[in-house]
Amino acid sequence: MAAVRQFMTQKGAPDDFAIPGGLAKLNLVGGGFLIWRSQPVSMICFRQSQSGMSYLFVLDRAGAKDSPPVEPEIVTVNGRSCASWTAGNRIYLLTGAEGVDVRSLL
């Protein structure tokens, strides 16, 4: 995780994100840097199962017009369970591996 955080720092993306307890139990695969609406986004990748990955996206709250609530909102999009929430100055979006309920990762 230290290498992922260092990479995000170098890219100017959020590096002070919190990893939910259930997600922290998975194998960290790596991370990536994205731009969404001109804002830097951190993407942290976890192996959920042999065939599936779960992804945590983190962006600065100031970069979004509307923030999700503090309590995670859970929806299903294209067969994937997703959660979004706000914590401090960060917005989080978690997508579980196909068929996995993200509640178990929070």
Side-chain angles (χ1 to χ4, degrees):
M1 185 59 72
V4 170
R5 290 183 191 277
Q6 182 179 14
F7 175 76
M8 298 308 170
T9 300
Q10 292 170 351
K11 293 294 188 179
D15 62 359
D16 60 345
F17 43 81
I19 304 296
L23 196 60
K25 295 176 183 175
L26 301 180
N27 291 325
L28 174 67
V29 175
F33 168 74
L34 307 165
I35 297 288
W36 180 75
R37 295 188 178 176
S38 302
Q39 299 298 317
V41 178
S42 297
M43 178 181 70
I44 305 93
C45 311
F46 298 88
R47 177 146 327 270
Q48 175 68 40
S49 64
Q50 291 291 41
S51 60
M53 299 284 291
S54 292
Y55 303 94
L56 180 66
F57 299 89
V58 185
L59 68 142
D60 189 27
R61 185 177 187 175
K65 181 180 175 184
D66 297 313
S67 299
V70 172
E71 287 297 315
E73 289 185 324
I74 299 173
V75 298
T76 300
V77 178
N78 294 329
R80 284 182 166 260
S81 179
C82 303
S84 60
W85 69 96
T86 298
N89 64 340
R90 301 290 183 229
I91 293 174
Y92 294 82
L93 172 66
L94 172 63
T95 65
E98 191 170 342
V100 172
D101 186 346
V102 294
R103 286 177 185 86
S104 66
L105 303 177
L106 297 174

